[in-house]
Amino acid sequence: MKLIILAMLTTMSVGCATKVIPKVGWVSLSSVDEFTDQKSCRVTVGSIYTANSIYTQVGNFYPLIENVNGELRVGLQSGGRIKIPVGNIQLRIDGNKHWDITTSETPLDLAPKSTVDMSIYTHNLPDEQRILVESSIKDSAKILSPYTMTIGDKAKKIVKEMLNGKKIIYRTVAINQGGSTTGEFVLDDSLKIALNQCGIVI
C-alpha cells in the first residue's frame, strides 16, 4: 500500500450509501531514496484506511518499525503533512515493562535535512570547538526529528514483544505531564504479515 500524508482528514463518504470499511491493520511500505539508493521498508499503521491508501493525522503519533539496509529500527513517527517533533517516548506491550526511547537514540538520517549539514557552521573552527558545535547540532537535529526510534538489540527485543503481544501503548514524554500524549494500537496477525513483507524476521 502507498502511504498518503494529509494535513487533515475529512469525511470519506457522503449520502446514505453503505460502504465496507477496510479493517485497520499494519501495512508494509517500501521505498528507495532516489539520490542515495538507500532501501527501506516500513511497517506502520494509520488513522483511516481505503482500498489503496492509509491516512495519518497531524498531531497524532504512530508506531513504526523500519528496515533500512538491514538495520532494524522501532519507535514512533509523527503523522500528517505538517510533521511535529516526537521527543522522548515510552512504549509498553501488554503487561510487560515499558521501554524508554530517547531522541539521542534516533538515527541522524531521520532528522530534518536542513539541520544535518554542519559544514557551513564549523569549517573555520578549531578542532575542539568544531567537535563541540557538531555534537550540539546533531543533538538539536534529533530533538527536532518527526521520528524517535531505537536500533540494534533493543529494537529486536521490542519487536519480539510486539509479535507476542495483543496491544501496544505509547506515551510521548513532555516536560510536564499535561503535555504528554498517549495512544494505543492493536497487535494482530497483520503485523506479522507486514514484517514478513519487509523481510524482517526476529
Side-chain angles (χ1 to χ4, degrees):
M1 292 185 180
K2 180 181 178 183
L3 177 62
I4 298 178
I5 305 300
L6 297 182
M8 64 179 63
L9 295 180
T10 57
T11 303
M12 303 301 292
S13 62
V14 296
C16 298
T18 300
K19 296 188 69 175
V20 176
I21 305 300
K23 180 182 178 182
V24 173
W26 298 77
V27 297
S28 62
L29 311 161
S30 299
S31 65
V32 179
D33 188 286
E34 60 184 330
F35 290 99
T36 65
D37 294 326
Q38 178 174 272
K39 297 179 180 179
S40 67
C41 190
R42 296 181 169 188
V43 174
T44 188
V45 290
S47 293
I48 298 292
Y49 292 68
T50 66
N52 300 309
S53 307
I54 66 172
Y55 299 82
T56 60
Q57 288 180 292
V58 172
N60 285 3
F61 301 101
Y62 302 87
L64 176 66
I65 303 169
E66 186 174 31
N67 180 9
V68 180
N69 289 341
E71 178 185 72
L72 180 65
R73 305 171 175 182
V74 64
L76 281 187
Q77 65 174 332
S78 177
R81 181 178 297 161
I82 305 172
K83 295 183 178 296
I84 62 176
V86 176
N88 297 335
I89 64 171
Q90 294 177 329
L91 301 178
R92 190 180 189 192
I93 297 94
D94 296 343
N96 298 314
K97 183 180 178 181
H98 76 266
W99 294 92
D100 292 302
I101 304 177
T102 66
T103 55
S104 63
E105 299 174 62
T106 302
L108 191 59
D109 63 275
L110 293 174
K113 295 295 184 277
S114 61
T115 63
V116 175
D117 184 7
M118 294 164 282
S119 60
I120 58 175
Y121 304 102
T122 62
H123 68 283
N124 288 326
L125 295 177
D127 287 346
E128 184 175 346
Q129 292 184 22
R130 177 179 54 78
I131 293 172
L132 181 62
V133 171
E134 287 182 352
S135 177
S136 297
I137 294 175
K138 286 179 180 179
D139 290 341
S140 297
K142 291 179 178 183
I143 290 172
L144 294 173
S145 176
Y147 304 88
T148 297
M149 305 187 75
T150 190
I151 62 175
D153 289 339
K154 183 175 179 179
K156 291 179 181 178
K157 290 177 181 177
I158 294 173
V159 174
K160 186 175 182 179
E161 280 191 12
M162 292 174 68
L163 283 168
N164 294 318
K166 300 294 184 183
K167 180 179 70 174
I168 182 172
I169 60 176
Y170 73 80
R171 175 164 60 194
T172 60
V173 183
I175 296 176
N176 58 78
Q177 189 173 359
S180 297
T181 302
T182 61
E184 66 177 62
F185 294 89
V186 173
L187 300 169
D188 58 14
D189 291 339
S190 66
L191 173 61
K192 184 176 182 180
I193 293 171
L195 289 172
N196 287 338
Q197 291 171 342
C198 277
I200 300 174
V201 179
I202 304 299

